[in-house]
Amino acid sequence: MSRRQAREVALQALFQLDLNPAETAAQEEMQETLALDTALGEAEAMSAHDRAFAAQLVHGTRANVEAIDAQIAANSREWKVERMAAVDRNLTRMATYEMCFAEEKLTPNIAINEAVELAKKYGTDDSSRYVNGILGAIMKSAKSAKSAE
């Protein structure tokens, strides 16, 4: 299984978790495990490496969700994060995590391309352009912040 397929599993888990928020930290951890297990169960056979990558995407995105949402909000002129379509919101969160917060940061162009391809598959007709626009703006603002340092 490829990293793209691992991202699909992570997106499915993030989507499920986003629509069914936990009330306590213990419930949140349990729901995260259950959502990942459910998404992995529906996927083709995955290597241990790809399973770990999907789990890292889910956990890392959720652990940094407040900072990620702040970046999305700062770069999304039209919509508040909570008003975005759930697929678009979670794809954008996951790609932002990969670009800005993951230990092994993904090259922004690759993260954007992966998110756009998943948006074409799982989102609406406009999702790919919308996700691309927000992530492109995040990439530009991150570059501006680095050059200002």
Side-chain angles (χ1 to χ4, degrees), residues 70-72 74-76 96 99-100 133-149:
Q71 284 192 358
I72 293 170
N75 291 284
S76 172
T96 302
M99 291 189 306
C100 303
I134 293 173
L135 292 174
I138 290 171
M139 179 180 71
K140 287 177 187 173
S141 68
K143 283 182 181 179
S144 295
K146 282 186 181 181
S147 64
E149 291 177 349

Side-chain angles (χ1 to χ4, degrees), residues 2 4 20 37 43-44 46 48-49 58 61 65 91 95 102 119 128 130 136:
S2 69
R4 180 168 295 165
N20 300 300
D37 288 347
E44 298 172 12
M46 287 181 75
H49 184 265
V58 172
T61 300
V65 75
L91 272 172
S128 61
Y130 184 68

Side-chain angles (χ1 to χ4, degrees), residues 5-15 36 39 54 57-58 94:
Q5 291 168 319
R7 285 183 184 91
E8 286 185 46
V9 166
L11 172 63
Q12 292 168 359
L14 288 168
F15 181 88
L36 258 171
L57 288 174
V58 172
M94 187 169 62

Side-chain angles (χ1 to χ4, degrees), residues 71-92:
Q71 284 192 358
I72 293 170
N75 291 284
S76 172
R77 297 180 184 140
E78 296 179 28
W79 295 97
K80 293 182 179 185
V81 174
E82 58 273 1
R83 294 218 38 215
M84 293 171 68
V87 169
D88 300 351
R89 177 175 53 244
N90 286 291
L91 272 172
T92 306

Side-chain angles (χ1 to χ4, degrees), residues 15-142:
F15 181 88
Q16 180 179 347
L17 292 163
D18 191 28
L19 296 180
N20 300 300
E23 294 180 18
T24 66
Q27 285 178 339
E28 187 171 317
E29 187 175 324
M30 188 173 73
Q31 282 182 323
E32 187 174 304
T33 301
L34 181 61
L36 258 171
D37 288 347
T38 301
L40 287 167
E42 294 174 5
E44 298 172 12
M46 287 181 75
S47 69
H49 184 265
D50 289 337
R51 286 177 177 272
F53 179 63
Q56 173 194 0
L57 288 174
V58 172
H59 182 71
T61 300
R62 291 177 53 81
N64 294 285
V65 75
E66 289 178 16
I68 290 169
D69 282 356
Q71 284 192 358
I72 293 170
N75 291 284
S76 172
R77 297 180 184 140
E78 296 179 28
W79 295 97
K80 293 182 179 185
V81 174
E82 58 273 1
R83 294 218 38 215
M84 293 171 68
V87 169
D88 300 351
R89 177 175 53 244
N90 286 291
L91 272 172
T92 306
R93 283 174 172 166
M94 187 169 62
T96 302
Y97 167 73
E98 285 194 273
M99 291 189 306
C100 303
F101 297 94
E103 281 184 39
E104 179 186 329
K105 291 179 181 55
L106 192 59
T107 304
N109 291 339
I110 295 171
I112 292 169
N113 182 58
E114 290 294 321
V116 166
E117 290 303 315
L118 289 173
K120 289 177 184 176
K121 184 172 182 177
Y122 291 101
T124 65
D125 291 340
D126 296 327
S127 291
S128 61
R129 288 188 305 265
Y130 184 68
V131 167
N132 185 50
I134 293 173
L135 292 174
I138 290 171
M139 179 180 71
K140 287 177 187 173
S141 68

